[in-house]
Amino acid sequence: MKRKIYSNMLYIAFVSILFTGALFLVVTYNRYMDQMKENVQTEASYLMQSLNEDENQNLENYHRISGTRITLINIDGTVKFDSSEPAKSLPNHGNRPEFRQAVEAGIGENTRISDTLNKQTYYYALKLDSGKVLRFAVETQTIYKQIMDIIPITLLMAGFVLVLSFFLSRVLTERIVEPINKIDLEHPEDERYYDELAPLLGRIHKQNIAIEDKVKELKQRQLEFSAITSNMSEGFLVLNKDLVVLTCNESALNIFNIKKEQCENHNIMAISRSKCMRKSIEYAVNQIPFEETMKLHGRRYMILTNPVLDEGKLRGIVVLLVDVTEKKKREALRQEFSANVSHELKTPLTTISGYAELIQAGIVKPEDIAGFSGKIHKEALRMIDMIDDIIKISKLDENELDLERTEIDLYQLIQEIQESLRMKARKQQVQLNVIGTPTKIEGIKQVLYDMFYNLMGNGIKYNNPGGKVVVTVSKMNGISTVIVEDNGIGIPNEDQSRVFERFYRVDKSHSSERKGTGLGLSIVKHAAKLHHAKIDLDSTVGKGTKFTVSFYPVKSE
Ligand code: ADP
């Protein structure tokens, strides 16, 4: 704008100077011409008067003084006297326009190229009283010369004015532009310097308000977006079409184990070069959604890439990383569990089928049939126990239990279990004692029942005749604790970390005597997890085993 105003000003100045110069020269020329004509006319009229009084004067003398060419023409056009050429050598001047005019009107004038001198000449003719015509001739060339003489000074002046214009244009441009530069576009409504700018500033003001509203809305959306993505456990990344990360959430940074500045504004390929990531991005670039599991830092993630399209063109890519490590582990466990279940069920079934086959074949003596049937019955009962446990553990696995939590008094619950285990304890000649005070927790009754039934049952089962099981229920510092302690056979150190595994039994031959399924402690572990409880195991072979279950207060379960 500054440039434009400046150049326009210069242009105007230049044209004005040129025009003024030319006008000045034309006016000066005309002025000179008029001056010259006036002089000639005055001179001529003086001489005319003089000649009217005495025509026989020496015109040569007069010419010498004035320097003007003087011609005296007779009435017939013949030249009587001429100050430049001998009169006789000159042709008849009867047809000269100034002569004819003078004859007719007393005065005549004409400007033309002189036949005699071949130069642009001004002629002025006056008729004398005698009828002769006195003619003055002046070359106009001298005026051109005078004009030419003043051209350099004119140009010099024009140059000076031009330089001045340069300077003034610059100063004026600055002055015009300065207030515009100083306009506060944040508050254009307060600007009053140029009235002409008011409509424009008004529009800017309106635009400012609209932009402000838009920015507020965008910020709000950004906040909502950040709140959603930052609370996501899944890794979330948004890439532009050049695969540069525009935004990523905390989980994504944790998954890639990098800092925010190493992620945002970096190409995704610089962040993860894994084959799976490359493949998923390739798919997304080709506008195909992609889904696959990939390994990263020892964990498994489901990577989901989705192209973001606008009018059929790729605008960006959304990448979602879901941690499926636990899911995969559970899947593997389930597979292993199914295999184990089949294996474990096969043993009693083989036994049952073996005994039944013997009876069917008539090999068994009639008096032994009762014993054989008893064995079949025991194995069948073991299978039922096992299936019961399998159902329980599957339900715990799938979270299919009716998970309604109620207030439960652990002491009362343990006493109920003690009651149902009374027979079993008596049979094993084991004393089962419960001590403590009412201790209430929030929990799932059936799950807690199974948990302590298994622990107390094990205390009886893995004990010696005459042994005892003591269950203590207490509460301290908000922590409810149940200790199940027996003085039975104990668990070897090397097995202690594994007894909670499914189907794990310390010594299979030894345990099978005691008819375990290997699922009891597994159920205990699950149940504890459901109640955010901690289990501690302390056992010495030959001395006994102590299970401590601690329930921590949970604000919202
Ligand atoms: P099971 O049905 O065989 O009892 P559990 O999962 O309850 O299965 O126990 C796993 C193994 O841990 C048992 O086979 C047993 O060897 C050992 N065990 C569990 N409780 C005790 C205990 N109180 N005393 C000694 N050994 C125990």
Side-chain angles (χ1 to χ4, degrees):
M1 181 182 170
K2 210 165 158 181
R3 242 178 111 92
K4 190 109 183 149
I5 295 175
Y6 183 53
S7 58
N8 276 347
M9 277 191 170
L10 277 183
Y11 178 70
I12 291 167
F14 185 72
V15 170
S16 310
I17 291 164
L18 212 67
F19 186 72
T20 312
L23 209 68
F24 172 73
L25 289 176
V26 170
V27 169
T28 311
Y29 174 81
N30 285 335
R31 192 83 196 89
Y32 272 134
M33 201 68 162
D34 289 349
Q35 192 72 50
M36 181 269 284
K37 281 181 183 172
E38 214 179 297
N39 289 345
V40 168
Q41 285 165 10
T42 316
E43 249 182 79
S45 69
Y46 281 144
L47 189 58
M48 180 191 78
Q49 278 172 22
S50 179
L51 283 174
N52 278 340
E53 279 171 25
D54 176 13
E55 207 172 284
N56 293 321
Q57 290 181 48
N58 190 347
L59 290 173
E60 192 60 51
N61 282 346
Y62 190 83
H63 164 69
R64 221 171 287 131
I65 299 160
S66 73
T68 315
R69 183 185 164 197
I70 302 166
T71 313
L72 192 62
I73 307 161
N74 292 317
I75 298 169
D76 60 359
T78 52
V79 177
K80 191 184 176 200
F81 170 79
D82 189 276
S83 59
S84 301
E85 302 287 329
K88 297 236 168 65
S89 67
L90 291 170
N92 189 298
H93 277 31
N95 59 349
R96 300 289 201 270
E98 70 278 5
F99 172 78
R100 289 224 305 268
Q101 281 172 28
V103 171
E104 278 166 27
I107 299 170
E109 62 178 341
N110 186 235
T111 306
R112 65 171 181 277
I113 306 281
S114 158
D115 288 346
T116 317
L117 304 171
N118 206 19
K119 282 177 181 162
Q120 177 85 8
T121 311
Y122 170 69
Y123 294 100
Y124 184 70
L126 287 172
K127 194 177 161 191
L128 299 181
D129 292 345
S130 62
K132 288 177 187 135
V133 171
L134 172 69
R135 191 184 76 169
F136 271 57
V138 180
E139 285 174 25
T140 55
Q141 216 95 352
T142 47
I143 295 173
Y144 282 123
K145 219 173 141 286
Q146 277 171 328
I147 293 292
M148 290 308 271
D149 286 348
I150 62 165
I151 280 182
I153 185 96
T154 312
L155 284 177
L156 201 71
M157 274 161 61
F160 174 71
V161 174
L162 204 65
V163 171
L164 200 69
S165 308
F166 268 117
F167 176 72
L168 284 176
S169 299
R170 189 173 284 274
V171 172
L172 281 175
T173 307
E174 286 290 343
R175 273 208 200 148
I176 293 170
V177 172
E178 204 187 358
I180 298 173
N181 279 342
K182 279 187 177 164
I183 289 175
D184 178 8
L185 289 175
E186 296 285 313
H187 305 100
E189 70 279 13
D190 299 339
E191 298 294 333
R192 296 273 176 269
Y193 202 87
Y194 290 119
D195 287 345
E196 293 79 357
L197 288 180
L200 175 71
L201 295 176
R203 274 211 300 278
I204 293 176
H205 179 54
K206 273 187 197 160
Q207 290 277 352
N208 278 356
I209 293 171
I211 290 169
E212 230 168 76
D213 288 349
K214 259 274 155 313
V215 167
K216 260 187 212 161
E217 194 188 315
L218 283 175
K219 269 189 187 160
Q220 182 59 34
R221 280 205 198 152
Q222 174 79 32
L223 271 176
E224 284 167 15
F225 180 75
S226 305
I228 293 168
T229 55
S230 62
N231 287 318
M232 272 167 67
S233 56
E234 292 86 4
F236 177 79
L237 298 114
V238 179
L239 321 180
N240 67 9
K241 64 176 176 15
D242 300 320
L243 311 183
V244 173
V245 178
L246 299 177
T247 181
C248 60
N249 68 354
E250 200 60 37
S251 302
L253 298 177
N254 291 338
I255 291 168
F256 291 119
N257 197 15
I258 51 171
K259 291 194 180 98
K260 203 173 180 96
E261 53 272 21
Q262 293 172 298
C263 185
E264 279 180 0
N265 300 321
H266 285 76
N267 194 294
I268 186 74
M269 291 304 159
I271 296 165
S272 171
R273 293 190 155 276
S274 78
K275 200 175 154 195
C276 183
M277 179 63 89
R278 267 186 286 146
K279 201 168 141 195
S280 66
I281 295 295
E282 229 168 74
Y283 268 80
V285 167
N286 290 315
Q287 308 190 356
I288 305 165
F290 183 84
E291 200 179 306
E292 203 169 280
T293 318
M294 73 169 188
K295 260 191 176 173
L296 201 69
H297 306 306
R299 297 190 72 83
R300 294 185 84 86
Y301 295 95
M302 171 78 89
I303 176 165
L304 299 120
T305 47
N306 262 299
V308 179
L309 304 176
D310 181 23
E311 290 175 357
K313 277 188 185 165
L314 183 79
R315 291 274 174 245
I317 296 169
V318 174
V319 182
L320 200 67
L321 293 154
V322 186
D323 192 339
V324 289
T325 318
E326 295 307 321
K327 197 178 154 209
K328 290 276 165 197
K329 256 190 205 166
R330 273 208 304 279
E331 268 172 26
L333 265 178
R334 218 170 287 140
Q335 277 167 9
E336 195 190 329
F337 183 55
S338 310
N340 283 342
V341 165
S342 321
H343 178 77
E344 294 293 331
L345 287 176
K346 210 174 156 191
T347 319
L349 270 176
T350 314
T351 317
I352 291 169
S353 143
Y355 287 135
E357 204 178 358
L358 288 175
I359 295 168
Q360 191 192 29
I363 300 169
V364 184
K365 291 177 198 158
E367 59 268 30
D368 292 336
I369 286 180
F372 271 68
S373 305
K375 280 180 181 163
I376 289 173
H377 184 225
K378 270 185 194 165
E379 287 302 329
L381 284 178
R382 221 188 124 213
M383 269 179 72
I384 290 168
D385 278 354
M386 198 177 279
I387 287 166
D388 273 351
D389 281 355
I390 289 167
I391 291 168
K392 274 178 200 161
I393 212 156
S394 305
K395 282 186 175 171
L396 283 172
D397 255 358
E398 300 297 332
N399 274 347
E400 270 178 13
L401 280 168
D402 182 6
L403 293 179
E404 201 200 335
R405 286 167 195 263
T406 50
E407 197 181 60
I408 292 154
D409 180 0
L410 285 174
Y411 183 62
Q412 199 185 326
L413 182 82
I414 301 288
Q415 279 177 324
E416 273 177 43
I417 300 170
Q418 181 191 26
E419 201 48 46
S420 55
L421 281 172
R422 191 179 294 280
M423 286 296 291
K424 193 177 175 185
R426 193 174 295 160
K427 214 168 153 193
Q428 295 276 329
Q429 298 169 39
V430 173
Q431 209 182 314
L432 177 59
N433 295 328
V434 175
I435 48 172
T437 48
T439 304
K440 287 178 181 168
I441 63 158
E442 282 277 309
I444 309 155
K445 189 171 180 192
Q446 189 55 48
V447 176
L448 290 171
Y449 187 96
D450 290 340
M451 180 183 188
F452 292 112
Y453 187 93
N454 277 314
L455 286 176
M456 288 156 75
N458 279 355
I460 297 165
K461 193 162 46 171
Y462 301 106
N463 216 322
N464 304 307
K468 64 174 178 179
V469 178
V470 180
V471 187
T472 318
V473 184
S474 63
K475 190 168 189 171
M476 212 199 268
N477 300 330
I479 304 164
S480 308
T481 313
V482 179
I483 300 169
V484 182
E485 193 171 8
D486 65 68
N487 57 355
I489 61 171
I491 305 168
N493 266 344
E494 63 273 22
D495 295 307
Q496 284 180 17
S497 60
R498 300 201 58 193
V499 285
F500 293 97
E501 287 175 20
R502 291 167 186 191
F503 297 111
Y504 190 83
R505 275 170 283 163
V506 173
D507 176 353
K508 295 217 173 188
S509 60
H510 167 79
S511 292
S512 66
E513 276 171 36
R514 296 175 197 264
K515 310 274 185 306
T517 59
L519 291 171
L521 288 184
S522 221
I523 292 170
V524 170
K525 191 175 101 181
H526 257 85
K529 203 173 152 199
L530 263 179
H531 290 86
H532 310 288
K534 185 175 157 252
I535 311 172
D536 289 304
L537 165 60
D538 181 13
S539 182
T540 314
V541 175
K543 282 198 167 170
T545 305
K546 179 176 161 189
F547 284 97
T548 308
V549 186
S550 313
F551 295 88
Y552 293 88
V554 181
K555 275 176 197 134
S556 58
E557 278 191 276

